[in-house]
């Protein structure tokens, strides 16, 4: 089965990027959210990366099973 990267609508907090990335990498979503928060607060470029991911990543609503 081919893995696809997408935003998850179930279990999302804001846009679903972290939940989709955690599902793709097969890790806990809390770890991905913590890394994203640290990048946003410390590096500043994490917010830009998050917004770009929100725009680029397709939603799981549009992914056909």
């Amino acid at each position: 089965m081919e893995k696809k990267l997408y935003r998850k609508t179930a279990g999302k907090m804001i846009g679903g990027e972290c939940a989709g990335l955690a599902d793709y990498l097969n890790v806990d979503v809390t770890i991905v959210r913590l890394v994203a928060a640290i990048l946003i607060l410390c590096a500043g470029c994490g917010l830009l990366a998050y917004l770009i991911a929100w725009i680029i990543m397709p939603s799981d609503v549009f992914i056909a099973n």
Side-chain angles (χ1 to χ4, degrees):
M1 181 175 170
E2 183 181 327
K3 292 174 78 173
K4 295 184 180 184
L5 180 61
Y6 56 88
R7 291 184 294 125
K8 288 183 71 171
T9 55
K12 70 177 187 174
M13 291 192 89
I14 298 175
E17 296 82 13
C18 291
L21 185 61
D23 189 44
Y24 182 78
L25 297 174
N26 200 23
V27 296
D28 187 27
V29 69
T30 306
I31 295 170
V32 177
R33 287 179 178 148
L34 284 173
V35 170
I38 289 169
L39 287 174
I40 289 170
L41 294 175
C42 296
C45 64
L47 182 61
L48 181 62
Y50 188 85
L51 292 174
I52 290 172
W54 195 344
I55 294 168
I56 293 176
M57 289 174 63
S59 176
D60 61 353
V61 174
F62 301 112
I63 304 288
N65 290 333

